Amino acid sequence: MSTQTFSNVPANVANSALSSSLARCDNPRVQAKIEAIAAPGLTIVLTARAEGQQIYECKTGSDGKLAWAFREPQATLTADGKVVGRHYAGPTWELADGSAVVGKAIGNAPGATTNDIAWLKLEAVSHKGSGTLADVAMVQRINTVGGQLKDDCDRPGTTRGMPYTADYVFLRK
């Protein structure tokens, strides 16, 4: 399992080298996005690519109108070209080594386009197992593509999945 350079953001931007990367960044929009999910002082444990779906459910909103509400992610995690785990409701990331981490969003930034789900910074709130994810303190979701659902819904309880990809960066203190 490795640290890699992403197509959009180098791995060192996602971790403690953030301040030096920002010093070289002259795009205010990119700088604001990076600052929103920064995790200075943390070390990368694993970078994994997710490919799957964001699942939405048609529900009645507080205004009485039907709208799609996010329900859960369903994705396969890969690293170095190999399947290493899965991502599902919680949000939870679980690896083949038996370790898992559940996160709670504490920061976000918009995706590159309106079709892309947000970049996130998630704080670890619980762990399972003693493997790779056992000491993860923070998870970042970056380089998102797709996943947004903007269509109207007309039947409560209907579900729909929107394809997405993202990079998840798992960090420890």
Side-chain angles (χ1 to χ4, degrees):
M1 296 182 201
S2 71
T3 300
Q4 63 189 28
T5 300
F6 307 118
S7 58
N8 298 330
V9 174
N12 70 333
V13 170
N15 73 12
S16 60
L18 180 68
S19 57
S20 63
S21 297
L22 283 176
R24 294 186 305 269
C25 179
D26 60 358
N27 182 327
R29 183 171 179 253
V30 171
Q31 188 169 353
K33 182 182 282 195
I34 292 169
E35 287 173 354
I37 63 154
L42 300 183
T43 302
I44 295 175
V45 172
L46 169 70
T47 298
R49 180 80 173 160
E51 187 170 334
Q53 295 186 53
Q54 296 284 305
I55 308 298
Y56 295 85
E57 183 175 355
C58 185
K59 291 186 170 190
T60 304
S62 58
D63 60 2
K65 296 179 182 178
L66 292 176
W68 292 107
F70 176 71
R71 190 173 88 180
E72 65 186 322
Q74 293 178 351
T76 299
L77 301 174
T78 59
D80 297 328
K82 298 175 187 162
V83 173
V84 296
R86 63 191 184 115
H87 176 41
Y88 54 92
T92 304
W93 297 266
E94 183 174 1
L95 299 184
D97 68 5
S99 64
V101 61
V102 177
K104 174 185 173 190
I106 59 170
N108 67 74
T113 74
T114 59
N115 294 321
D116 303 330
I117 55 176
W119 291 22
L120 295 176
K121 176 167 74 171
L122 303 107
E123 180 178 56
V125 295
S126 67
H127 296 85
K128 178 183 111 178
S130 59
T132 304
L133 302 179
D135 62 352
V136 165
M138 193 82 55
V139 180
Q140 293 168 315
R141 179 175 75 189
I142 62 175
N143 299 332
T144 59
V145 176
Q148 286 283 13
L149 177 56
K150 299 177 190 155
D151 295 343
D152 293 331
C153 65
D154 57 8
R155 277 192 325 219
T158 304
T159 59
R160 186 163 166 200
M162 293 300 293
Y164 91 105
T165 60
D167 293 315
Y168 288 97
V169 182
F170 300 90
L171 303 130
R172 65 176 165 78
K173 294 180 179 178

